[in-house]
Amino acid sequence: MPGQVQTLTSASGLLSLLDEEERELQYYGLTQLEAVADVFWTEISDSITKIEVLYEDESFEHRKLAGLVASKIYFHLGEFDDALNFALGAGDLFRLEDTSAYVQTVVNHAIDKYIELRSDEAEVDGRLETVVERMVERCFEAKDYAQVVGLSIEARRLDILERALASGDTKSLLAYVQRDCIDLIGSVKVQRQVQELVVKVLMQLEEPDYEAICAGLSKLSSAETTAGILRHLAEGDEAKVLSAYQIAFDLNASASQEFTKAVAAALEPREDGMAEGGGAALGRIGAILGGGETLRLHLEFLF
């Protein structure tokens, strides 16, 4: 109540209402304290115990409001863990759409805490998960998919990551993940899981980006799958054959020698003697992967 904030010189009268036996008076006192918390937080903090008692009283109908008031006071005191804990207790009274410094600070602290717990594979308070998921939904509504991607990777929520990749500009988001995110993931296990998801989504595209797919497969050491893609391209039209050559050159330049040898071996003629399509192209792809074709082209350029 803006008018009351201007006329009040102390919150002592409102705090005294918390000592009343009538629940309605206690409720009224809390509503007014919530409205003036940003102004009189220093004075209110001296009586924070009264507010906490009401919050912990499960028979008190408005204990969520007590949690919200306590959260705001602890925010002003710089006690962000306590501010978050009481905000979680406030439930839907803690409004994410509020752009105040209080809400933004507590939400950021909630996200940091959530990421920390998920990274440590520790148990997560269901109320904390609810707040984070509410925040994620707001990002989806705002089409802020890049932020969702970053949060989902840090929090190891591959289900949210997959949804974000499918909701936005999939190709650009995939490129963002491959270019700016994967290499920064500290856990090898999570890095692999994200890479596997990226390859999965890439392969589901109406027009698969085989170069990006094979780059991802090389990081997963999936030689057989890579060979299968190169064989598929080698059996296609001229454009697909040229794409296979380019992928082979890229792998020769960026992948490990062990991986390129494994791919080349998987492309060798079948032992049962059955004919395979793309024979000439496959032979050249094998030569590129082995480095011979690259060396030949370098020599031609030099001499």
Side-chain angles (χ1 to χ4, degrees):
M1 299 177 65
Q4 189 170 24
V5 173
Q6 294 173 1
T7 57
L8 277 179
T9 58
S10 170
S12 60
L14 300 176
L15 288 167
S16 67
L17 292 174
L18 303 184
D19 297 321
E20 298 290 336
E21 293 185 2
E22 291 186 35
R23 292 302 202 185
E24 285 304 312
L25 289 176
Q26 293 174 337
Y27 169 60
Y28 179 76
L30 286 173
T31 59
Q32 301 310 304
L33 288 171
E34 193 272 331
V36 300
D38 293 337
V39 178
F40 296 109
W41 62 268
T42 304
E43 183 180 358
I44 297 172
S45 68
D46 291 334
S47 301
I48 190 68
T49 303
K50 293 181 181 181
I51 299 169
E52 290 183 14
V53 167
L54 289 175
Y55 169 74
E56 292 168 1
D57 183 354
E58 295 186 4
S59 67
F60 183 47
E61 182 182 357
H62 305 289
R63 58 192 302 264
K64 287 184 178 181
L65 178 58
L68 181 63
V69 175
S71 175
K72 285 189 172 185
I73 301 306
Y74 278 117
F75 158 72
H76 285 293
L77 291 171
E79 300 290 341
F80 298 134
D81 281 340
D82 287 328
L84 172 58
N85 287 333
F86 281 104
L88 296 179
D92 54 3
L93 293 183
F94 180 67
R95 297 182 177 86
L96 294 180
E97 64 272 15
D98 189 339
T99 58
S100 67
Y102 158 66
V103 170
Q104 296 304 310
T105 300
V106 174
V107 166
N108 288 338
H109 193 66
I111 291 172
D112 290 341
K113 180 66 68 175
Y114 183 70
I115 290 171
E116 178 186 336
L117 292 171
R118 292 280 302 176
S119 298
D120 293 340
E121 298 184 357
E123 184 177 353
V124 177
D125 187 324
R127 300 172 304 168
L128 175 60
E129 192 147 37
T130 297
V131 167
V132 172
E133 290 183 348
R134 283 169 59 196
M135 191 64 199
V136 167
E137 289 303 321
R138 287 184 58 79
C139 289
F140 273 115
E141 291 171 7
K143 301 186 186 303
D144 191 356
Y145 302 120
Q147 182 169 341
V148 176
V149 165
L151 191 157
S152 61
I153 290 176
E154 286 193 272
R156 306 185 180 193
R157 287 291 302 271
L158 299 189
D159 56 327
I160 296 177
L161 174 59
E162 185 169 7
R163 180 185 166 195
L165 293 174
S167 300
D169 183 341
T170 301
K171 287 187 176 181
S172 64
L173 287 172
L174 284 167
Y176 167 62
V177 172
Q178 287 186 300
R179 183 185 66 248
D180 299 328
C181 300
I182 289 181
D183 291 339
L184 299 179
I185 300 174
S187 166
V188 174
K189 176 184 175 182
V190 176
Q191 190 178 74
R192 183 176 182 85
Q193 290 173 336
V194 172
Q195 188 68 71
E196 287 173 345
L197 176 60
V198 166
V199 170
K200 171 188 170 183
V201 175
L202 280 167
M203 295 183 78
Q204 291 174 342
L205 293 176
E206 188 174 337
E207 296 181 3
D209 183 344
Y210 290 115
E211 291 185 26
I213 291 171
C214 289
L217 289 171
S218 69
K219 294 181 180 180
L220 294 171
S221 299
S222 299
E224 288 289 341
T225 306
T226 304
I229 291 173
L230 291 172
R231 184 177 290 108
H232 165 72
L233 294 172
E235 294 171 355
D237 56 25
E238 183 179 1
K240 288 185 176 180
V241 172
L242 291 175
S243 177
Y245 292 159
Q246 183 59 57
I247 291 171
F249 277 119
D250 291 342
L251 292 175
N252 176 256
S254 61
S256 68
Q257 190 175 37
E258 179 183 3
F259 179 75
T260 54
K261 282 184 177 180
V263 175
L267 291 172
E268 291 178 358
R270 296 169 52 165
E271 293 182 0
D272 57 15
M274 292 184 66
E276 289 186 296
L282 287 175
R284 190 169 187 188
I285 291 170
I288 295 170
L289 290 169
E293 191 71 11
T294 303
L295 178 60
R296 183 183 68 79
L297 291 173
H298 282 170
L299 290 174
E300 284 184 3
F301 176 75
L302 292 172
F303 301 104

